[in-house]
Amino acid sequence: ITFMVNQDKFDAVLDDLKDKLTVERIMVSRKKFKFYFPEKKNEFDIMPIEEKGKINKFWVKQTNEIKEINSEDIISSKLDLISLVDCFQEKTFYFIKHGKDIIGLVNIADLNKSPMRVLLYLLIAEIELSLKKFLSKTIEDPFPYLVEDRIKKISDDKGKDIKNNLDLNIYEYLYMGDYLTFLEKQELIIKKMGLSKNKFKEKYGFIDNF
């Protein structure tokens, strides 16, 4: 589907979602905790320990240790998901605190849940819009940078739209993969972004696969 997006409206929607998509959306709530018991089979990597209704310790499967929950093991329930990704640079799990109480647990695997996927798609769409804005001012005719199949598909789609009295700019028919193809063939543009060709592939190559 070909469509045009007002950048200001998109930014407003994205900012609103960043505020609403917090760690609470993907955490395992306390009600669903599997607590550690020495006499039972404990299968999870991290398991909280409840003592007199309080959770102050956890068990680590890899080392078979019981550890105190310290400040570095805790994040706020209101932390946004983008910031959570940064937190996972330090460790793979966190207990979630609201007020004085532990209300949940989040593991790096929870990033696979749908709220995170929604946010990632939006962030990639934001990158795509920025690339469209930049490249459309830099490269007037994108066809020399595309493979034959893409040229035919875009030409066919544009031809159908023209018959329906819809004449859009050629850039409205391009996908993220097309923009990445442009940049791989335009080392001068990559240099303007402060990257080498190899560094560009390393930093942005995963987006097309995603």
Side-chain angles (χ1 to χ4, degrees):
I1 299 172
T2 302
F3 61 96
M4 299 180 71
V5 179
N6 179 287
Q7 185 70 48
D8 291 337
K9 289 182 179 178
F10 182 88
D11 289 342
V13 169
L14 186 60
D15 288 340
D16 186 48
L17 271 173
K18 285 177 184 176
D19 290 336
K20 290 179 179 177
L21 292 177
T22 63
V23 68
E24 286 183 280
R25 298 279 186 171
I26 65 170
M27 72 179 188
V28 176
S29 69
R30 179 170 174 163
K31 292 179 181 178
K32 296 182 179 179
F33 276 2
K34 301 294 184 183
F35 290 104
Y36 170 76
F37 294 100
E39 67 277 10
K40 291 187 177 180
K41 187 177 180 180
N42 299 287
E43 298 179 350
F44 294 97
D45 293 338
I46 300 295
M47 299 187 72
I49 298 170
E50 187 176 42
E51 296 175 337
K52 298 180 180 179
K54 297 289 185 180
I55 300 173
N56 296 312
K57 298 177 183 178
F58 65 96
W59 173 76
V60 183
K61 182 178 181 180
Q62 186 176 11
T63 58
N64 195 29
E65 290 180 280
I66 292 176
K67 295 185 175 183
E68 295 280 344
I69 298 176
N70 296 314
S71 57
E72 63 265 24
D73 302 316
I74 296 171
I75 55 176
S76 167
S77 61
K78 300 304 179 184
L79 184 74
D80 67 272
L81 292 181
I82 294 176
S83 298
L84 176 64
V85 173
D86 287 335
C87 289
F88 281 135
Q89 304 283 338
E90 302 296 326
K91 57 193 304 176
T92 60
F93 73 93
Y94 289 93
F95 288 94
I96 315 303
K97 206 167 191 178
H98 183 74
K100 295 182 178 181
D101 298 321
I102 299 248
I103 63 167
L105 175 66
V106 67
N107 191 289
I108 195 167
D110 292 317
L111 292 180
N112 288 313
K113 292 180 179 177
S114 56
M116 192 68 213
R117 290 202 301 272
V118 168
L119 184 58
L120 286 174
Y121 281 124
L122 281 167
L123 290 171
I124 288 175
E126 186 178 38
I127 295 171
E128 185 173 346
L129 285 170
S130 297
L131 284 173
K132 180 178 77 173
K133 185 177 180 180
F134 172 70
L135 291 172
S136 62
K137 294 178 180 178
T138 309
I139 302 172
E140 185 176 348
D141 180 13
F143 276 4
Y145 302 93
L146 298 174
V147 297
E148 188 176 335
D149 287 348
R150 285 296 294 136
I151 294 172
K152 184 178 185 310
K153 179 69 169 61
I154 292 168
S155 298
D156 289 346
D157 289 344
K158 186 170 176 60
K160 291 175 185 176
D161 284 343
I162 289 173
K163 287 181 181 179
N164 291 317
N165 298 314
L166 184 63
D167 190 9
L168 299 177
N169 183 285
I170 196 70
Y171 273 86
E172 298 299 331
Y173 297 88
L174 303 184
Y175 299 146
M176 173 64 81
D178 298 323
Y179 297 135
L180 296 177
T181 299
F182 290 177
L183 292 173
E184 283 182 16
K185 294 181 179 180
Q186 286 286 318
E187 291 192 53
L188 184 61
I189 295 176
I190 293 175
K191 285 180 181 178
K192 285 182 179 180
M193 297 168 66
L195 298 169
S196 66
K197 193 170 183 179
N198 287 338
K199 204 69 177 175
F200 173 78
K201 283 186 177 182
E202 179 186 320
K203 290 178 75 71
Y204 298 101
F206 79 95
I207 295 176
D208 194 29
N209 291 330
F210 179 82

